[in-house]
Amino acid sequence: MKQIAVVTGAGRGVGRITAITLAQKGWLVVAAGRDKVAIDAVAKEAGGGSVGIVCDVSDPESVKSLFAQIKSSFGRVDLLFNNAGVVIPGVPLEDVKVEDWQKVVDVNISGVFYCTQQAFALMKTQSPMGGRIINNGSISAQIPRPNSSAYTASKHAVTGLTKTASLDGRAFDIAVGQIDIGNANTDMAEVMRVGATQADGSTKIEPTIDPQNVADAVAFMASLPLTSNVPFITVMATKMPFSGRG
Ligand code: NAP
């Protein structure tokens, strides 16, 4: 029987290409997302029995329903890629609207937590026990960009979840790791193509990378036996301003 992978936010961007790449590597992929037409199209393109299931990760009931459907259809889950995420336009910290702050927290932190919680419950009780969870962090989980308080705080929280889940999962053969991306060419990276604000106040167009590079790294992490884990990996544009304080 095929191994079961669930990818959140699978309708476009990094989630879409990772879902297709995992399917090419032999996984049966559950493409989870809010847009039914988009996730069904991804599942069809992925093939190999992959399916689309509607899920809004910021809604705990929707996440419960996703994992209930996975359990009843497949009996288990072997890989969760916590990919769904949102960013808000950069504004000075004091001008961040409460509803924008809340949206980022709901998707980027609570969404990862709800999915991890449900995956833990299933992975602990299934036979054979265990599985792998890969969280999509960001280089903003390491270093902030200017005017990115909500996004940066949320991605630092993802690092906290990765660390605590990798500890709590250890006794149950649940391996937890995180990929921190820098400038993958998706809708989210639009600002890099038009010009992103730098720490010195200037604006620069930044190099981007093919999201396939990210998908390949996730597929590598997922290919390891559960006795082996990649706790953190960074995949970024080589020449983007990050190292060396710029
Ligand atoms: P993207 O193209 O904007 O895609 C974001 C995905 O998340 C979409 O599929 C979106 O679905 C989904 N999503 C948003 N809110 C959701 C919710 N409440 N429930 C379920 N799905 C939801 O961005 P991306 O570049 O692929 O980003 C994917 C992940 O990589 C994010 O966690 C992001 O923070 C991280 N990341 C990306 C970069 C980069 O350079 N691209 C860098 C660092 C980190 P809808 O179509 O329904 O909106």
Side-chain angles (χ1 to χ4, degrees):
M1 180 175 155
K2 285 190 165 192
Q3 289 201 295
I4 312 299
V6 54
V7 176
T8 66
R12 56 194 173 90
V14 169
R16 176 184 166 279
I17 194 72
T18 304
I20 291 165
T21 301
L22 288 170
Q24 285 165 351
K25 305 269 181 201
W27 293 82
L28 189 156
V29 176
V30 176
R34 296 181 297 188
D35 180 344
K36 176 143 178 59
V37 174
I39 55 171
D40 283 349
V42 170
K44 194 172 169 201
E45 195 176 345
S50 298
V51 295
I53 299 181
V54 172
C55 177
D56 179 340
V57 298
S58 67
D59 173 359
E61 293 308 315
S62 181
V63 173
K64 270 189 200 159
S65 163
L66 167 67
F67 281 87
Q69 289 177 69
I70 291 169
K71 188 176 179 184
S72 79
S73 298
F74 308 111
R76 61 182 295 109
V77 64
D78 299 287
L79 172 68
L80 163 65
F81 181 35
N82 267 321
N83 166 74
V86 289
V87 70
I88 54 172
V91 289
L93 191 146
E94 67 277 19
D95 296 334
V96 175
K97 294 193 186 109
V98 170
E99 58 267 33
D100 284 343
W101 168 266
Q102 199 58 56
K103 182 173 86 170
V104 173
V105 167
D106 288 348
V107 178
N108 294 7
I109 307 177
S110 303
V112 172
F113 178 69
Y114 301 146
C115 291
T116 301
Q117 213 176 22
Q118 291 300 313
F120 255 59
L122 186 48
M123 287 172 176
K124 272 183 170 183
T125 51
Q126 65 196 12
S127 177
M129 183 177 70
R132 186 180 306 277
I133 298 174
I134 301 172
N135 292 331
N136 199 334
S138 171
I139 55 167
S140 295
Q142 303 173 25
I143 306 281
R145 286 181 178 278
N147 298 331
S148 70
S149 50
Y151 186 73
T152 295
S154 75
K155 292 298 184 175
H156 276 64
V158 170
T159 300
L161 278 170
T162 300
K163 288 181 177 176
T164 196
S166 76
L167 176 59
D168 291 352
R170 211 159 58 181
F172 306 97
D173 298 335
I174 301 172
V176 185
Q178 177 168 324
I179 185 159
D180 288 341
I181 306 171
N183 290 8
N185 204 350
T186 65
D187 295 345
M188 194 179 276
E190 172 64 18
V191 67
M192 310 310 160
R193 297 187 287 269
V194 296
T197 308
Q198 306 296 309
D200 65 2
S202 65
T203 299
K204 274 200 185 105
I205 291 173
E206 296 187 13
T208 56
I209 55 170
D210 186 339
Q212 182 67 57
N213 303 155
V214 176
D216 290 342
V218 174
F220 162 69
M221 294 164 84
S223 74
L224 295 171
L226 291 179
T227 45
S228 223
N229 189 31
V230 178
F232 291 94
I233 186 171
T234 303
V235 179
M236 55 177 265
T238 309
K239 297 188 180 183
M240 68 182 290
F242 184 65
S243 306
R245 303 190 183 188

